[in-house]
Every structure is written in structure tokens, then in C-alpha cells.
Amino acid sequence: MDGNRTNSCKNAEAAIKEAKTSGEQYLHHRMDMNSGLARRVGMEHRLRTALDYEEFVVYYQPKITLRTGKIASVEALLRWQDPEQGLIAPGMFLPLLESAGLMAATGAWVLRQAASDSREWRRMGLPPIRIAVNISPRS
């Protein structure tokens, strides 16, 4: 009986999580919700680890002035170099960072990294450059 009750609770939790995520007012449990929820929770855990172990990298996309052909500024783009799956597309992990409440910490990391990279470029003799960093308003 306890096993059935435990499964029922897990099923209800999965349905509630799915209803909140989808915005639906009513949602019946489906067996695939458990595996989907488990994957999501596992990915959120891996993202927390990624932040702790600095598995994120920043790529810089230059903005070029057409008239001069020179770099006017750069935009910092967050990427995840997952040790298990390699480079993960932002569309796969950014929504999970938001739902897990990790956007503020991740945004702070990106700002620190961009500032560090800017200092390093200056030490190398490069001129100062404006860096755009997009930060989510959600925390």
C-alpha cells in the first residue's frame, strides 16, 4: 500500500509541475510525466553543478562598423560546455536556468567573466571595447 501511495504522490507532483509549466488549469497525469520530470530535475542539478564548477563559457560576437571595418563592440553570449554532452545550445539550458532560479547567479558570473576578459584584453595591449551582457530581469 505504501508503494502505491508513494507512486500516487509522485504522479500528482509530476502533474502539478507540468500544469504549472504549461499554464493549464487542469491536467491529468500521464506516465511520461515522471520521466520528463526526472530529466528536467536531473538537468537542473547538472546546471547547478555547471555553475559551481565553471562549465559555462562566454563567446563574444563582434559588432563591426561597416564604414571602417573595425570592431565597435562585442556581445557576450553564454554557452554551456557540458562534460557529458559537449556544447549545449542556449535554447536547451537557458529556460531551465530561469525555472531553477539560477539566472541571477549565472548573470553575475557572466558579468564577472566579461570584466575579467576585458582586463585581459587590455593587458594584451588591445584598446578598450564596449561589452554588451544580456541579463534576465527574473532572478
Side-chain angles (χ1 to χ4, degrees):
M1 192 66 129
D2 286 341
N4 287 339
R5 183 172 295 155
T6 301
N7 286 338
S8 294
C9 289
K10 288 180 183 178
N11 293 345
E13 289 172 4
I16 289 169
K17 179 90 169 173
E18 180 69 21
K20 286 180 180 178
T21 302
S22 70
E24 294 290 326
Q25 187 173 6
Y26 300 101
L27 194 65
H28 294 281
H29 177 266
R30 297 182 319 270
M31 290 308 291
D32 66 326
M33 286 181 182
N34 287 351
S35 61
L37 181 60
R39 277 193 305 276
R40 180 183 182 93
V41 168
M43 185 73 117
E44 286 178 1
H45 175 72
R46 287 178 41 221
L47 283 167
R48 289 178 200 285
T49 301
L51 191 55
D52 290 342
Y53 289 96
E54 297 189 5
E55 295 172 2
F56 291 112
V57 292
V58 178
Y59 288 4
Y60 295 96
Q61 180 172 313
K63 289 188 171 186
I64 309 293
T65 303
L66 291 177
R67 185 175 40 81
T68 64
K70 293 184 179 183
I71 297 174
S73 63
V74 295
E75 180 179 4
L77 304 173
L78 180 67
R79 300 295 183 259
W80 179 21
Q81 185 62 46
D82 180 35
E84 293 176 22
Q85 297 179 3
L87 197 61
I88 306 290
M92 297 296 291
F93 70 87
L94 287 177
L96 289 173
L97 282 174
E98 276 198 53
S99 67
L102 296 172
M103 284 306 280
T106 305
W109 180 86
V110 173
L111 283 172
R112 285 191 306 274
Q113 186 63 48
S116 174
D117 290 342
S118 178
R119 285 189 301 275
E120 181 61 25
W121 297 337
R122 294 297 309 267
R123 275 193 286 276
M124 294 168 53
L126 296 172
I129 190 163
R130 183 173 294 158
I131 300 174
V133 178
N134 296 323
I135 299 176
S136 174
R138 295 183 184 177
S139 50

